[in-house]
Amino acid sequence: MNAPIVKILGLFKSYYRDSLEIPVLHDINLDIPQGQFLALMGPSGSGKTTLLNLIAGIDRPTSGTLAVAGEEIGKLTEQQMAKWRSRHIGFIFQFYNLLPVLTAYENVELPLLLTSLSRKERKEHVETALSIVGLSDRMKHYPRQLSGGQEQRVAIARAVVSDPTLLLADEPTGDLDKNSAEDIMTLLARLNKEYGKTIVMVTHDPRAAEKANFVRHLDKGELQQ
Amino acid sequence: MKLLKLITKNAGRHKLRTILTVVGLALAVMAFGLIRTFIIAWYASARASAPDRLVTRHSVSIVFTLPLAYKEQLLQVDGVEDVTFGCWFGGIYVDPKNFFANFAVEHTSFLRIYPEYIVPPDQLDAFASERQAAVVGRKLADRFGWKLGDQITLTGTIYPGDWQFVIRGIYSGKTVDTDETAFLFRYDYLDERMKEESPGRAGQIGWYILKIDDPNRSAEIGSKIDARFDNSWAETKTETEKDFALSFIQMSSAIIVGLRIVSYLIIGVIFLVLANTMAMTARERISENAFMRTLGFRGYHLVGLILGESLLIALMGGLCGMLLLYVVSSGVGVALSQFFPGFEADAMTYMLTTATAILIGVAASVFPINRALRIKIVDGLRVVD
Ligand SMILES: Nc1ncnc2c1ncn2[C@@H]1O[C@H](COP(=O)(O)OP(=O)(O)OP(=O)(O)O)[C@@H](O)[C@H]1O
Ligand SMILES: [Mg+2]
């Protein structure tokens, strides 16, 4: 296997409500090698989303170290983190999080607005990403004109358009019917196999987890062996 | 900025809400502008007054008269160049609803001291040669369709009986602020009839107007005059024409103060309308803003988006409001030209409304921006809309 792209060592995460400490993640140790498609499973409230958010650099560990793509992200400033995320992370959500006022094309283009790419270069990237997810003919459609499965594919195109180091997906099929879910999973598996994308996916669905090449279980904030 | 398109798209997200907000802003902006214009027009008479004219009236009140005999004494005061006088007549033309200012003046001197009332020379001659002659403002003549040579009857209120006049002159104003609605007639006509009908009221006039040689000396000359008539039968109060006009306006100052308060309240309403819309927007976009930050967009991007949207709506409202103000104020200006010469929203009013719109656009975005920046990304993402 390749060198780990995510290295987590003795990671703890607690939330604080008033002065009350709510421990969520307990002593997590995890290496994710480059090119792995990892499924994270576990009961509701076990801390899956929290772990994913930490890897995504939108939250900070309480203690322990968390290095992604060679960068210890807990030590970055907010500003550096924002920049780091735009370069390394593609995020896929359960509810797609497309901007309703933007077309499929414009939604996919959004992350590229943070880069110095020219309009023409952006167009190439967006068209490539949309063709990978099979939506070249839906570029001018608004989210409300698309099915749930299509919306999620637009969201995936947006996640890969800037060619991030790591794809993170939080229950990407949670809001979809069986067939659409199947399509999405096939697509993610293809991104992993054909394009070598490293993927961390949280899911409740065992059928979805089958598509992954590695499954880890989280229970009450602890990673099971 | 690449996000410019997103700003306009965001503003159009809830079309009905944005339209209602813009209409609300437009109406409020128009109301604000109209009130301001009204207040300015209200003070127009004071603005139109000349700095080198003083008015001497009875110290108690303008309704008390002064003896005609004061004129010679006033002329002797150092610094006084010329003196004329007026006498409020308060006559009614057919119906009290037809109200307009009508007063007797000394025909030999009045128009000399009021050069802003422009009367053609031949009409001046006619005014001088006929005791019942009257000179009326252009707008007043237009209002009743009077022409030169028309016979007019006014029914006296202060001076009883019917009074016949012949229109011999129509004056026009030198500037838009000049009142063109006055009815002037000769004092000697009034005085002659008073001598016959009630001799005790003959030889009495309403107020003197003095032309002085140096506007800077107005206070000094005024107090010299008032000192001269101290302890006399009719004590005087002398002030600049501007203060004199203002003292009339002050009688209705409660209304003006009320209007000013209303206009400030309107600014408050404009603010609340927009702030409410922007607050709704902020609530709806919590997860969206958190998501934008997940992508790597920074605080200043969100500031630009929210501030831009707020400003866009505010400026649209301001622009529509100013268009409305322009249309309505010229309409009102025509309708009220009898009462308010020069009723027209001025450049300053338009500038003020623009500045107010910008200020309100900025202010209304403060809360949503604060909200969008304060919330942690992970918390924002958990909010499902
Ligand atoms: N911002 C927060 N403040 C306080 N507690 C939080 C916060 N975020 C998460 N938690 C708590 O942390 C625990 C783990 O939450 P998390 O969302 O990671 O669970 P999950 O495994 O993703 O669950 P699900 O499968 O339902 O999505 C929960 O008990 C939750 O209440
Ligand atoms: Mg979760």
Side-chain angles (χ1 to χ4, degrees), chain A residues 15 17 22 24 42-50 171 204, chain B residues 379 382:
Chain A
Y15 286 111
R17 190 159 291 146
I22 307 166
V24 177
S44 185
S46 57
K48 305 183 296 294
T49 297
T50 304
E171 299 187 38
H204 279 296
Chain B
D379 292 335
R382 273 175 201 275

Side-chain angles (χ1 to χ4, degrees), chain B residues 176-193:
Chain B
V176 285
D177 284 335
T178 310
D179 175 30
E180 290 182 332
T181 67
F183 184 106
L184 314 174
F185 64 92
R186 288 171 53 153
Y187 176 77
D188 51 358
Y189 175 41
L190 178 75
D191 197 45
E192 181 193 45
R193 189 157 146 188

Side-chain angles (χ1 to χ4, degrees), chain B residues 275-334:
Chain B
N276 179 51
T277 297
M278 291 309 296
M280 284 201 257
T281 302
R283 197 159 48 243
E284 290 161 2
R285 304 216 189 121
I286 292 176
S287 70
E288 196 171 303
N289 288 333
F291 162 71
M292 296 275 287
R293 282 163 66 197
T294 304
L295 284 187
F297 283 95
R298 306 283 307 284
Y300 62 82
H301 289 116
L302 296 188
V303 171
L305 279 176
I306 299 169
L307 179 63
E309 182 175 348
S310 187
L311 273 179
L312 182 67
I313 296 177
L315 285 176
M316 282 199 293
L319 212 70
C320 293
M322 282 191 270
L323 267 170
L324 273 178
L325 175 62
Y326 178 75
V327 172
V328 171
S329 75
S330 27
V332 170
V334 171

Side-chain angles (χ1 to χ4, degrees), chain B residues 1 24 32 38 55 86 99 101 139 147-148 180 202 219 221 226 248 259 264 268 288 297 315 324 327 335 338:
Chain B
M1 184 167 148
F32 173 79
F38 179 83
V55 175
F99 174 85
K139 282 184 188 159
K147 292 178 300 296
L148 293 177
E180 290 182 332
I221 296 172
D226 293 342
F248 274 101
L259 280 175
Y264 295 137
E288 196 171 303
F297 283 95
L315 285 176
L324 273 178
V327 172
Q338 298 296 333

